[in-house]
Amino acid sequence: MTSTSTVGIHSSDNNYNNRLGGGTGSGGGLYESPQSSSSSIPTTFTTTAIFNNNNINYDADETIIDDLLSVSWNQDFGCFAAGTTRGFRIYNCHPFKETFRRDLKSGGFGIVEMLFRCNILALVGGGLNPHYPPNKVMIWDDHQSRCIGEFSFRSQVRAVKLRRDRIVVVLEHKVYVYNFMDLRLLHQIETLANPRGLCCLSHHSNTFVLACPGLHRGQIRVEHFGLKMTKFITAHDSQISCFTLTTDGLLLATASTKGTLIRIFNTMDGTRLQEVRRGVDKAEIYSLALSPNVQWLAVSSDKGTVHIFSLRVRVVGEDSSINSSTTQGPALLQQSSSSSLDALISPTMGANPGSSLSFMKGVLPKYFSSKWSFAQFHLPETVRFVAAFGSQNTVIIVGMDGRCSFDALNGGEMSQQEYVRFLKN
């Protein structure tokens, strides 16, 4: 059945005030008004994953605390939100600390989506006792302690993505795009069955790019709304399992349900720029993350390993014609229209090791000529986790709750720097 939406802007809603207003904690220094926030644009893109309901956090001398239902990064990887069976919590990554929480007895949240570091959140109920129906998206202003918008659908909401100017709601077969100022519906996009809620957005102020599943297996649809252009990219033969965009939306990293190959595409013309290999055995990819300078790619999977790959896509500073980060989007845009791919690919290969038999790539199976990961970190295979890049060649891993660093020159096994149990009283 095709899902439709109804939208309401609430100037006053005591029911929602009472339901969320009784939580503990304070907005503190986390929140800022979207109107008064800095105009500077973050240089990373978020990856989001849903944790299993049976991921329960323990302390040695404590009882069970909460079921962890979801974890999602904010748009600059500086914070993440955890939805639980009894509310939600927000954490700062640098330095690590809990900045806000709302503990509720009335139910849980399966989706908690932040808007950078401001007071606006998108909330969807989840768990066995959802705080809101799972077919509703509530836009919550925690500074005013009230709901300022509500979206209702005929089926379960699979994901919500936010930009400063747009709200994107993902259902299993459709994606809705709304204007943030008045909650007006702007676009509807039909997709292949999408139970994972796969969707990602650019966050550069000058570009609005949306990526979602297409209508065929292995296909990704890329909408360049500013250019009024749609591009369909056949990324894999199998179903898509995970993908992410750069902050300007011009590069796309993808993985399929096989989980063996990760591919990087130019979203303007659909050209494949690079392919790296996570492994030979099938794996479920939990998250993909691109570093701010697009030099590194992090991949987490159910094999209990975070892989770091070196990318050979041209980045800021490698070309004298690119003078600052503010010109990265237009520069890549101009290069992508060239008939040659040399402008988008570095003249030297990345540092990823290849098979010692790669010189026989025309004879041996394809994986012998693959580029393998540059650095790795191993974790328990029983935990679902997502990764993001921190500062100074560090990777933050939520799920195993730690931070590790990698050697940018020699690669190899990463070393753990920090370990924190974040879901505790």
Side-chain angles (χ1 to χ4, degrees), residues 27-304:
L30 174 67
Y31 297 116
E32 59 185 29
S33 169
Q35 289 79 10
S36 62
S37 60
S38 170
S39 59
S40 61
I41 301 301
T43 55
T44 53
F45 188 84
T46 180
T47 56
T48 305
I50 302 301
F51 283 62
N52 295 329
N53 291 347
N54 60 0
N55 278 352
I56 301 174
N57 191 280
Y58 296 86
D59 272 356
D61 299 321
E62 294 181 357
T63 57
I64 296 176
I65 300 170
D66 284 339
D67 266 354
L68 184 62
L69 299 179
S70 68
V71 166
S72 60
W73 301 102
N74 76 335
Q75 288 81 356
D76 64 5
F77 287 164
C79 300
F80 69 91
T84 75
T85 54
R86 297 196 307 169
F88 63 86
R89 307 181 188 190
I90 295 174
Y91 300 87
N92 187 72
C93 295
H94 308 287
F96 185 87
K97 64 177 180 179
E98 180 183 296
T99 60
F100 184 81
R101 72 159 68 180
R102 285 200 179 272
D103 292 327
L104 307 167
K105 296 181 180 180
S106 53
F109 294 95
I111 297 174
V112 182
E113 187 73 12
M114 299 178 65
L115 178 62
F116 293 95
R117 295 173 184 251
C118 79
N119 50 292
I120 304 298
L121 299 168
L123 303 174
V124 178
L128 297 177
N129 181 33
H131 188 74
Y132 296 126
N135 66 322
K136 285 190 175 183
V137 177
M138 314 303 293
I139 306 301
W140 178 260
D141 184 340
D142 211 85
H143 181 72
Q144 302 182 57
S145 293
R146 69 182 182 91
C147 175
I148 60 174
E150 175 182 338
F151 301 84
S152 296
F153 303 90
R154 295 178 183 171
S155 61
Q156 180 180 347
V157 174
R158 300 296 182 175
V160 182
K161 303 296 178 183
L162 301 180
R163 281 172 48 104
R164 295 191 191 279
D165 56 353
R166 297 290 185 268
I167 300 170
V168 176
V169 181
V170 184
L171 308 183
E172 185 161 353
H173 293 277
K174 187 169 284 191
V175 175
Y176 293 96
V177 181
Y178 298 90
N179 185 44
F180 214 128
M181 293 301 295
D182 56 11
L183 306 190
R184 180 168 53 92
L185 179 63
L186 301 177
H187 307 281
Q188 301 182 45
I189 302 172
E190 298 282 348
T191 70
L192 194 67
N194 184 19
R196 299 169 182 257
L198 300 178
C199 182
C200 55
L201 310 176
S202 66
H203 295 285
H204 197 287
S205 61
N206 295 326
T207 60
F208 179 22
V209 183
L210 179 150
C212 64
L215 292 173
H216 304 285
R217 185 178 66 180
Q219 184 186 75
I220 296 178
R221 174 173 179 161
V222 180
E223 291 286 345
H224 291 266
F225 287 109
L227 299 176
K228 297 182 179 179
M229 181 181 77
T230 302
K231 186 65 184 178
F232 291 94
I233 298 175
T234 302
H236 300 271
D237 294 331
S238 304
Q239 291 280 97
I240 301 296
S241 67
C242 194
F243 53 81
T244 190
L245 287 166
T246 51
T247 187
D248 57 14
L250 297 181
L251 296 177
L252 172 74
T254 70
S256 74
T257 51
K258 287 185 177 179
T260 54
L261 297 173
I262 315 298
R263 291 169 175 161
I264 311 296
F265 294 91
N266 172 6
T267 63
M268 293 296 296
D269 59 13
T271 304
R272 186 198 301 179
L273 302 176
Q274 189 174 354
E275 177 180 284
V276 296
R277 180 173 289 276
R278 181 213 56 81
V280 177
D281 297 333
K282 183 177 180 179
E284 181 181 357
I285 302 299
Y286 291 148
S287 70
L288 299 174
L290 293 163
S291 65
N293 60 5
V294 202
Q295 185 179 359
W296 307 103
L297 168 70
V299 182
S300 65
S301 72
D302 65 349
K303 296 299 184 182

